[in-house]
Each structure stands twice: as structure tokens, then as C-alpha cells.
Amino acid sequence: MTQQLMTIQEPSINELPGVGPATAEKLAAGGFDTVMGIAVATPGELTDASGVSESAARKMIQAARQMLDMGFVSGEEVLEKRKSVNKISVGSASFDKLMGGGFETGSITECFGEFGSGKTQIGHILAVSIQKEFPGSYAVYIDTENTFRPERIMQLAEGFGIDPQEALRHIKVAKAYNSDHQMLLAEKVEGLIKNDGLDVKLVVVDSLTSHFRAEYVGRGTLAERQQKLNKHMHVLGKLADMYNMCVFVTNQVMAKPDAFFGDPTQAIGGHIVAHASAFRIYLRKGRKSSRVAKLIDAPNLPDGECAFFVRAEGLEDIDL
Ligand code: GTP
Ligand code: MG
């Protein structure tokens, strides 16, 4: 709540030095329509967007940073901000417990695992569950593999006790045709909030890495792929932070041919994706068609596992 108020009261870019109406318009057209956006931009980006000189761009960035009083905050202030974090239930007591009460808003949660392990199912469940936690809120579903199923949402909504039509109405689905399109869609989420006034509380990117993986093949392209993924994660992280929303991304695993010990799988995207995600869940198939979720790398939670079944109405707990 406080975060949304902050963004409404945020100073306008017109107040920055060297930003007249024409420059403001060009900056806004290039996506730099907020002081925060300018504060975290590079001089090159602003030069490209508005044609101002590099030194003018530097001054703008400097002024934006001062205006926003960016920099160090006390531990107390961080604690205060942590109080605004909400936990989104996935409808399984043991899974929620594993996550410290549910999936956190304000952060990115990454879920990786082999095909059919249930990543897409969790994305669907969150899109419904978020509406229970925040009545009237919206979920954005960026679908890269064409696996979003409205029928499944309706089934789950019944399970969660929400009107199925209403649940569907509050999910904005966008099919991403390639990685650039996917990145653009993530950037457009802010517009849904600011221009359309939607209270977006969840963004699902399913799958985060499939387009990147298909488009950037071969050794020579790895650096570029990682750079783009990094930028994408940055946009998603900013959404989570600025609007206190839950961001959920799914990721496939690849066989690691040189791994003879331990788990022979590894998430795509490597440390870039891992680093940007506050929570990482490894999903795998368990016995008797159950699914096992393992929490890895959570900032303030112990690692652990839980098991459940995927049922028509949602997740069903089982004892490990
Ligand atoms: P990939 O995208 O291929 O990497 O897999 P994924 O991890 O996204 O798997 P997904 O979430 O699609 O999981 C598929 C599994 O969920 C199926 O094998 C089923 O076990 C289960 N499932 C999917 N839909 C339903 C449903 O309507 N009812 C029930 N009971 N189970 C379902
Ligand atoms: Mg899937």
C-alpha cells in the first residue's frame, strides 16, 4: 500500500534539469517516464531515447537519484518494508510451510524442474490464489509455450471458492512469440498498472527460458543471451519491488553431461536467473504420481522438501 502511494507521489520527470516538454515526451516514449526509471538508467540509454548529450544524461540521472534519496536505508526501514510483504498460499499446507507461509510478494520465485513436474500447474494455482489473497487484483500470465488453459483456471477457481468467470476476467494473458516479445511484455506490465489502473499483484512468466534457449544456440551466443536474460530479470525484479507483487518464473532443466554425482540436472540461465530469484524451488516427480518440491537458496528459510498431489481442485498434501 505504502509503496503504491510512494509511486503516485513520485516527482515528475519534468522537474529534472534539462528536461523540457519535448525531451520529456521523447524520454517517455522510450519508456523513461518516471524519475525512478531515469535514476536507474544508464547515460547511453537516455541518450538513445531522447537525443540529449551524454553529459546532460549524466546530470539527469544524478538529479533523479538525489530527488529519490536513493542509497542506504536503515535496517529498521528494511524491516518496515518487509512488513508489507504478503504470502500467497498455494493451497497445500506443507508447501506453504516450506515457503515460510506462502509465496512472497516483493520478490521473484523461480521454479525449475523437468517436463511434467508441475511448474505450469503452480503458475495456474498462483493466478487463482492471488485473487483470493487480494480480492479484485489481477494476475498477468506471460505464456511462452502456449500452455495457459482457461479451463484449468476455472477448475482451480472452484477449488479455491472463487467465481470461475471472475477469476478468468482477472487474468491478463499474453502469448510471447519470441524472447524480445517476452521482454517487451514484461515491460508493459507497468502500463497496466499506471495507465489502465489495474491492481496487478502477480506476474507469471512460463517459461522464462524456453525462447532464450531456442534462439541462442551455440557457444558464441551465450554472453548475449545472458545479458538479455539479465535485463529481463531486472525488469521483473523492479516490478516485484516497486509494486509489492509476486513474480513467478518457471525454468526447465538441462542434463549436465559432466555431472556424475548428485542431481544430474541444472537450471537453464545459470547464475543470472538464480541470483535474481529470492526463492528457488526444484520440482520433481515423486512416487505414485506425486510431486516433490525442494526449496533451495531462500534468504531466511531452511532448505527442505514437501510432497503433494496435483488434483483437479488444486494441490493435496501427502506425508513424505
Ligand atoms: P513442462 O512445461 O513440460 O516443462 O512441464 P511442467 O513442469 O510445466 O508440468 P505441468 O505443470 O504442465 O504438469 C503437468 C502435470 O500436472 C500432469 O502430468 C498432471 O499430472 C498434472 N495435471 C495437469 N492438469 C491437471 C488436471 O487438470 N488435473 C489433475 N489432477 N492433474 C493435472
Ligand atoms: Mg509447463
Side-chain angles (χ1 to χ4, degrees):
M1 245 3 235
T2 43
Q3 287 182 46
Q4 279 182 0
L5 281 177
M6 261 166 57
T7 51
I8 290 165
Q9 289 164 358
E10 200 182 276
S12 141
I13 62 168
N14 294 288
E15 293 168 44
L16 294 168
V19 181
T23 306
E25 201 169 298
K26 282 186 205 156
L27 284 169
F32 299 101
D33 55 347
T34 62
V35 175
M36 176 60 90
I38 289 175
V40 297
T42 63
E45 284 173 336
L46 298 187
T47 303
D48 288 349
S50 68
V52 296
S53 72
E54 188 151 328
S55 77
R58 276 184 206 288
K59 278 185 198 144
M60 259 180 228
I61 293 168
Q62 194 65 33
R65 289 182 179 180
Q66 274 171 6
M67 230 182 239
L68 292 177
D69 193 21
M70 288 168 76
F72 296 102
V73 293
S74 71
E76 256 181 322
E77 287 173 88
V78 178
L79 180 66
E80 201 50 43
K81 192 166 178 190
R82 288 281 308 157
K83 286 184 189 156
S84 65
V85 166
N86 301 79
K87 316 257 184 178
I88 313 305
S89 166
V90 283
S92 146
S94 61
F95 202 166
D96 287 348
K97 184 161 170 256
L98 183 72
M99 301 298 293
F103 284 50
E104 281 198 4
T105 61
S107 301
I108 301 177
T109 298
E110 175 202 354
C111 182
F112 64 102
E114 63 170 320
F115 70 94
S117 57
K119 305 180 293 293
T120 296
Q121 291 303 307
I122 307 285
H124 280 61
I125 287 169
L126 284 171
V128 171
S129 173
I130 196 84
Q131 302 187 43
K132 185 135 188 165
E133 178 71 25
F134 300 101
S137 72
Y138 284 78
V140 169
Y141 205 106
I142 300 177
D143 185 8
T144 75
E145 299 185 309
N146 205 10
T147 48
F148 177 81
R149 291 290 174 274
E151 301 84 357
R152 188 71 187 111
I153 293 291
M154 292 174 88
Q155 248 180 357
L156 291 165
E158 300 265 12
F160 275 82
I162 298 177
D163 177 49
Q165 290 295 338
E166 199 62 20
L168 281 179
R169 206 170 294 132
H170 284 255
I171 302 175
K172 297 284 178 192
V173 185
K175 214 190 261 186
Y177 294 102
N178 55 47
S179 65
D180 283 327
H181 188 207
Q182 179 182 332
M183 289 170 74
L184 185 68
L185 288 169
E187 283 167 27
K188 287 199 162 182
V189 172
E190 194 161 37
L192 293 177
I193 300 166
K194 286 189 178 168
N195 307 334
D196 304 341
L198 304 187
D199 181 22
V200 180
K201 294 308 284 179
L202 170 76
V203 174
V204 175
V205 186
D206 183 23
S207 122
L208 177 77
T209 45
S210 58
H211 283 317
F212 287 93
R213 185 188 201 181
E215 291 164 31
Y216 296 91
V217 279
R219 274 178 167 269
T221 61
L222 190 66
E224 195 188 344
R225 183 186 86 179
Q226 292 304 85
Q227 213 171 16
K228 284 192 134 178
L229 256 178
N230 191 26
K231 195 172 166 203
H232 191 37
M233 293 306 282
H234 187 73
V235 168
L236 294 170
K238 240 166 82 178
L239 282 174
D241 189 43
M242 282 180 71
Y243 299 101
N244 191 28
M245 63 171 77
C246 181
V247 175
F248 177 73
V249 302
T250 69
N251 200 347
Q252 287 126 332
V253 291
M254 56 182 169
K256 206 165 69 175
D258 57 348
F260 290 104
F261 300 100
D263 195 330
T265 54
Q266 189 181 306
I268 314 277
H271 69 277
I272 296 254
V273 175
H275 193 75
S277 309
F279 300 89
R280 306 188 69 215
I281 301 160
Y282 175 50
L283 265 191
R284 63 181 163 82
K285 294 174 190 166
R287 278 188 297 166
K288 294 179 183 161
S289 78
S290 69
R291 297 291 184 270
V292 180
K294 182 175 185 172
L295 183 66
I296 303 164
D297 286 351
N300 55 346
L301 294 172
D303 290 356
E305 279 192 351
C306 72
F308 49 83
F309 291 111
V310 179
R311 303 281 190 224
E313 62 285 355
L315 303 181
E316 183 193 321
D317 278 317
I318 43 169
D319 296 325
L320 269 182

